[in-house]
Amino acid sequence: MQQLQAERDALLKPLATVTGIVERRHTLPILSNVLIRKTDDKLTFTGTDLEIQITSQQAEGFSGGEFAITVAAKKISDILRAIPDKTVVTLEETGGRLTVKAGKSRFQLQTLPAADFPQLAVDNTLRATVKLPQGQLKALLSRVQYAMAHQDIRYYLNGLLLVTEGNQLKLVATDGHRLAFASAELSTSFEKNEVILPRKTVLELYKALADSDEEVTIDIAGNQVKFSFGAVVIHSKVVDGKFPDYNRVIPVANDKLLEIERQLLLAAMQRAAILSNEKFRGVRLVLTQGLLKIICNNNEQEEAQEELEVSYDNSPLDVGFNIQYLLDILTNTSVETLHFSFGELGSSVLVTIPGNEHFKYVVMPMRI
């Protein structure tokens, strides 16, 4: 018999970090499980889908001898969530079954052997090691991750490009209709390295990162990237493919500049979007001297129109965009003011943050 005793939160917190990547239905039943292992004074939880592996460690709040089992990740998470805070939980494994005891509650779960749990083979061909605050990486991810493609046939777009070049860390995401670019200055200089992180890795990494100054270490290898921070280690395979040349996509000659308060534009766009076409999500931006009109129509011949007084003194412009792409940038930045740089009719718009060279967002126009 194996036994482990722990406070409910000492189990639930690290478990929540790893269960996000666990698939509930999988051809390999063990991939629906989480590996719980206690050795010496360490309690670790591991989840994998064979592309990504997340390990979270717990340093206190538990007792017992050597312990190693795999059990259904969702079921044990749901059980622990339903147990009151600060309750002492006992895990007992006998004969391939796990008994979870908490107060007068008893739960019996099926287990699979820990020895059968597949571990991701670690690539040790290290190309670069980058260190920066967790909060800084989380902020960079928040400014680009929404632009990743989702289930695109061009599989390399279903992820995020991570680049080290000189003293810069660059993150780029695009779905072919819009592109988001964010960068940060690093304390050391690097050779140019480019890897594409899978979409799932990006989303799980973003959830796990803390908004703090504690350090995250990024180890870039040949076909793998490892993120280490706090008690968490994420190993991820990289996407094998050629990412588009993002520098060619970012406009450099857009001279029609609109400076606008982000919250004001966001509120007006959210109201107008109510009557946008559900399928095409189009919005017309009509710019004249000092005035912006935001117009949405739908199939029922309904129309929403918003008017905003703005800082614009260039030639008139009437251009269409997918309103969701504009809402994404407005909700995923927290600055007061944004710059929209327009070019000739039919060219993409460039959205930037005043006084910040480390962020660019490009949206292609659409015919409305």
Side-chain angles (χ1 to χ4, degrees), residues 271-284:
R271 290 190 295 268
I274 296 166
L275 295 186
S276 67
N277 182 301
E278 284 183 20
K279 187 178 178 185
F280 299 109
R281 302 287 283 155
V283 61
R284 273 175 65 208

Side-chain angles (χ1 to χ4, degrees), residues 3-266:
Q3 191 178 69
L4 175 71
Q5 232 181 18
E7 278 194 16
R8 174 253 201 184
D9 286 355
L11 296 171
L12 186 57
K13 193 176 174 189
L15 195 57
T17 305
V18 306
T19 49
I21 63 160
V22 176
E23 305 283 356
R24 278 185 228 176
R25 291 182 184 83
H26 211 288
T27 47
L28 272 174
I30 202 161
L31 292 179
S32 300
N33 285 12
V34 60
L35 171 65
I36 305 173
R37 187 189 292 278
K38 181 190 174 290
T39 51
D40 301 328
D41 57 348
K42 289 178 185 170
L43 178 61
T44 58
F45 297 77
T46 305
T48 185
D49 67 356
L50 300 181
E51 299 291 319
I52 315 162
Q53 178 176 295
I54 303 182
T55 301
S56 184
Q57 208 170 82
Q58 183 64 28
E60 54 188 23
F62 59 89
S63 62
E66 299 269 313
F67 189 89
I69 56 136
T70 83
V71 65
K74 179 163 189 339
K75 287 175 185 171
I76 193 160
S77 295
D78 288 349
I79 287 167
L80 290 170
R81 280 196 191 91
I83 291 168
D85 285 0
K86 304 201 185 319
T87 303
V88 173
V89 178
T90 303
L91 304 182
E92 276 180 13
E93 188 271 338
T94 42
R97 293 179 78 79
L98 177 71
T99 304
V100 182
K101 301 177 185 176
K104 294 186 178 179
S105 303
R106 296 281 183 283
F107 305 88
Q108 279 209 331
L109 297 168
Q110 292 278 11
T111 69
L112 287 168
D116 294 347
F117 193 79
Q119 300 275 351
L120 212 61
V122 176
D123 182 350
N124 291 314
T125 56
L126 202 60
R127 284 157 45 183
T129 296
V130 180
K131 295 176 189 280
L132 72 162
Q134 285 187 52
Q136 187 177 22
L137 181 58
K138 194 175 178 86
L140 287 173
L141 288 170
S142 75
R143 289 188 173 170
V144 298
Q145 63 174 13
Y146 53 86
M148 291 186 293
H150 187 46
Q151 295 180 331
D152 197 293
I153 194 165
R154 297 162 295 179
Y155 59 93
Y156 49 84
L157 297 184
N158 301 321
L160 182 144
L161 180 70
L162 184 149
V163 184
T164 60
E165 188 174 14
N167 69 336
Q168 298 269 310
L169 174 68
K170 303 172 185 177
L171 301 182
V172 189
T174 180
D175 61 6
H177 303 286
R178 37 85 178 267
L179 178 144
F181 167 95
S183 66
E185 287 187 13
L186 302 168
S187 52
T188 41
S189 196
F190 295 91
E191 297 283 316
K192 186 170 183 180
N193 285 295
E194 292 190 356
V195 289
I196 304 172
L197 301 176
R199 177 186 177 87
K200 198 171 179 182
T201 301
V202 175
L203 299 178
E204 291 303 320
L205 174 63
Y206 182 74
K207 277 198 294 188
L209 284 166
D211 195 5
S212 73
D213 291 330
E214 286 182 36
E215 200 169 67
V216 54
T217 301
I218 309 170
D219 291 317
I220 301 169
N223 62 1
Q224 231 175 60
V225 179
K226 175 182 161 192
F227 298 89
S228 313
F229 51 96
V232 179
V233 177
I234 300 176
H235 281 97
S236 172
K237 290 183 179 178
V238 299
V239 178
D240 185 19
K242 179 69 178 151
F243 204 81
D245 183 356
Y246 58 90
N247 286 312
R248 289 178 56 191
V249 176
I250 299 170
V252 291
N254 286 10
D255 59 351
K256 298 178 174 65
L257 181 65
L258 165 68
E259 185 176 309
I260 193 159
E261 189 185 321
R262 182 184 65 87
Q263 288 282 14
L264 192 70
L265 182 59
L266 174 59

